[in-house]
Amino acid sequence: MFKKILIANRGEIALRVIRTCREMGINTVAVYSTADRDSLHVRFADEAVCIGPPTSRQSYLSIPNIISAAEITNADAIHPGYGFLSENAEFSRICAEYGIKFIGATAEQINYMGDKATAKATMKAAGVPVIPGSEGLLESVEEGKILAKEIGYPVIVKATAGGGGRGMRIIKNESEFQKAWDDAKMESGAAFGNDGLYLEKFVEEPRHIEIQVVGDQFGRVCHLSERDCSIQRRHQKLVEETPSPIVSPELRERMGQAAIKGAAAIGYEGAGTIEFLVDKYGEFYFMEMNTRIQVEHPITEEVTNFDLIKEQIKVAAGQPISGQNYTPQLYAMECRINAEDPANGFRPSPGKITQLHFPGGHGVRIDSHVYAGYTIPPNYDSMIAKVIVSGQSRAEVMTRMKRALQEFVIEGIKTTIPFHIRLMDDPGFQSGNFTTKYLETFDFSGL
Ligand code: MV4
C-alpha cells in the first residue's frame, strides 16, 4: 500500500481524498496556490506545499510544480481528483516516468478516450451500442451531406477533441450544413488545436445516464449501477440521482453489461464512468467515457455503501476488486451548491461567507470545503458544497432534500440553494419524467 499520497487538487474533492487516506493510514500532501492558503485541504493534510500563484495554469495545472512537490515530499502516488490534471495524458505519463503512481488512467487510455471518434470506434468494436453516424472523422462537407441524407436530419457534428458540449453543432437540414460545419471546425481548431469532426444522428430530448465502473489490475470490471444526470444547465450538471426514474432492472442490466464490456476492452483499471444517452424509446447509446472520479460519485457511494476513493487507491496499489455488480436498494440525490446567482443567469458570486450552518440529520451528507469566514476566491469553479441525501424511495429523498436545503444557512454570497428548493417542489421534476432540456424552460425568476 502507498505510504504517502499527494492530492493534486483543491476544494471539496481534495478534502474527500484526504479523509479516505486518513482512514486507510496513508499520509497526505496537499498542494495549494497562494489563493488557497487558508483552505481546509491545506490544514487537514499532513503536509502542504505551495505550488504557485492563483492562476490555475501556474499552480494546479503546472506539471513541473506538482511533480516537484511530490519529489520533495517523497510521495509515492498522486490522486488528481476531477478537473485540472485528472484526464491529462502527459501528466499520467510523467508520473509513470518518475515512478509515482498516478491514481487514474494510463496516458494511452486517456488519449484513447479523449479522442471522441476513436473512443466511439473502440466502444463499437467492443459491442457497445453507439449512435448511427460517420465511421471516424468526416473527410469533407460533401461526405457529411451524403451521410446526413442517408441517416436523416437532424444530425449533429461533433469535435473529436471536444466533449462536455464544446465544438458541436446541430444541423436540421442540408441548407444549414455548410455553416454548421465551418463554425464547428473553426471553434474546435481554436479551442483544441484539432479540428477533426464526426457526425451522428441527433437524438432529440434524451436523458443523460451514466454507469459507474471499477476495474482492477487482474482484468476484472464491475459496475455500480447508474446515475441520472439529466438536470443540467449549459452542460453543467446541477442535480444527479440514483437509481434513474426511467431505468428498469432489465435496462440497468443491459447498460451495466455494455459499460463493463467497454471498460474491459481497454483494460480499464480504477474508477471510471461510461456516459450514455437514452432516447425516448429506451434505447441507449455510448456518448463518452470519463477516466476519473466524478463530482457526483457520492450518490453511488451512499446507495452501494462503497468508498469509491478507497476502491481507486486499493486498485492502484494492485489489490483486487470484489467483482460484484450492484443492484440498488436505496435512493440518493445530490444537489450542487454553487456560489452563483440563479435569478441572474447563474452569475458567479464569489466573496466572503459571513454566516454558515450546514444541514444534518438522518440520510444527509455534506461534502464541502467552506467554513464561516472563508472567502471564495474568484479564480476557480464556483461549486462550494454538495448536499447528498439518501432514503428508501425517490419521494422520501426529495422531501429530505428540501428539508436539508431549508436548513442550510449561508450568508454573504448568493447560491443555487433557492433554485434547488424550487426544483424539489416542481411537479415536472417530481414526476421523474424530464429530459436534458428540462431547465431550458424552467422559471428562474425571483429566486
Ligand atoms: C448528443 C446529443 C444528441 N444527439 N449527441 C452534450 C455533451 C456531449 N457529451 C454530447 N452531448 C450531446 N450529444 C447526439 N447524437 C445531445 C447532447 C446534449 C446533451 C447530452 C447530455 C446531457 C445534456 C445535453 C445537453 C445538450 C446536448
Side-chain angles (χ1 to χ4, degrees), residues 131 156 158 165 200-203 208 232 235 287-288 436:
I131 303 169
I156 184 168
K158 295 181 173 179
E200 288 180 342
K201 174 83 186 164
F202 180 64
V203 179
H208 171 133
Q232 318 200 347
H235 304 293
M287 194 165 46
E288 287 178 21
T436 54

Side-chain angles (χ1 to χ4, degrees), residues 310-346:
K310 188 172 179 181
E311 291 302 309
Q312 283 189 300
I313 295 170
K314 278 167 59 180
V315 163
Q319 295 179 16
I321 53 166
S322 70
Q324 292 270 300
N325 295 334
Y326 167 79
T327 315
Q329 313 287 336
L330 283 176
Y331 290 73
M333 187 177 286
E334 169 179 280
C335 289
R336 298 190 187 191
I337 312 304
N338 296 340
E340 294 170 355
D341 180 359
N344 285 293
F346 289 74

